[in-house]
Amino acid sequence: MPKRDIVNAFQNIAAQWLSDLEHYDDEQLYRKPEKRNWCLAELYDHVMRVARTYQIPNFQKCIQNEPKLGAPKNLKGVLIFDLNWVPYRKIRMESFPKHIVTDFTPTCRERGELLGDFKAFIQEVSALAPLVHQADLSIRNYHPFFGNINARAWFSLVEIHMRHHQRQKMRLEQWEAQPK
């Protein structure tokens, strides 16, 4: 099976998410179906928070040869990274350790700030692309769900995480389109 172009995959999904963000009105961006659900603004913030606090730092540990090893890559890791299969599973933040919940829980930010930050986020991730092609793929860092994964897998997690949240994003968009 040929390797996926993970840089292009990120750029494609990020461009679509950016286009969507630019076209949401305030009601679409901030309205929640239920109190405990996120709005679209919070979903965007969450995707950036996870990438910046977890995925990118672990990618950089692989690049800098500072791995933290654990169990080998498991079946979930093989399905996701080798076969490009992203299962859909609802995950509640409450199921994570407290420090992760703190890092990953989104805030609801003002539209202009969110839009500017999402554009900066796309540039930050895109700037890492040359490192993906130069990475020593034998250097791995531990992920609690997937086992030891290399820099390429850590980088691809940014796009995979966005794909994981795509259904949630679509539900929020469709919910907003319903007559009130």
Side-chain angles (χ1 to χ4, degrees):
M1 173 179 228
K3 284 192 177 181
R4 234 169 42 93
D5 183 347
I6 60 175
V7 173
N8 192 44
F10 167 75
Q11 290 170 341
N12 288 340
I13 197 166
Q16 182 60 56
W17 279 49
L18 176 59
S19 175
D20 293 345
L21 179 57
E22 290 172 331
H23 291 94
Y24 297 139
D25 62 31
D26 283 349
E27 187 173 354
Q28 286 176 299
L29 196 55
Y30 297 110
R31 191 154 177 220
K32 297 181 179 191
E34 296 177 17
K35 188 174 182 172
R36 69 183 217 155
N37 291 104
W38 292 342
C39 63
L40 284 164
E42 290 169 315
L43 178 59
Y44 275 79
D45 186 71
H46 167 74
V47 165
M48 291 186 286
R49 282 178 183 275
V50 172
R52 287 174 170 154
T53 64
Y54 191 61
Q55 296 158 339
I56 293 170
N58 280 293
F59 166 79
Q60 290 170 328
K61 285 178 184 175
C62 289
I63 296 297
Q64 296 162 358
N65 196 9
E66 298 173 5
K68 177 184 172 191
L69 295 176
K73 182 165 61 172
N74 58 32
L75 180 59
K76 290 177 202 167
V78 170
L79 290 171
I80 289 170
F81 301 113
D82 299 349
L83 301 176
N84 192 32
W85 180 72
V86 178
Y88 181 69
R89 179 178 154 224
K90 288 186 181 183
I91 301 171
R92 289 273 171 214
M93 289 300 298
E94 300 83 29
S95 66
F96 288 90
K98 186 175 175 140
H99 74 280
I100 291 177
V101 171
T102 302
D103 287 347
F104 292 2
T105 299
T107 59
C108 197
R109 299 189 288 159
E110 183 270 323
R111 164 189 287 288
E113 178 190 355
L114 183 65
L115 183 58
D117 196 26
F118 195 71
K119 288 177 181 178
F121 167 71
I122 292 170
Q123 290 177 339
E124 290 166 26
V125 176
S126 296
L128 297 172
L131 297 175
V132 172
H133 302 297
Q134 300 167 8
D136 179 345
L137 299 182
S138 69
I139 299 170
R140 299 171 187 274
N141 202 33
Y142 181 71
H143 188 288
F145 292 152
F146 310 123
N148 292 331
I149 57 176
N150 62 29
R152 179 179 165 76
W154 279 107
F155 182 90
S156 70
L157 268 178
V158 177
E159 179 266 339
I160 290 167
H161 187 227
M162 291 175 79
R163 265 195 293 153
H164 166 75
H165 281 289
Q166 188 69 26
R167 287 187 191 174
Q168 179 183 8
K169 181 176 167 291
M170 289 170 46
R171 269 196 323 274
L172 288 167
E173 291 166 344
Q174 290 168 356
W175 183 80
E176 282 302 326
Q178 296 173 359
K180 308 300 180 254

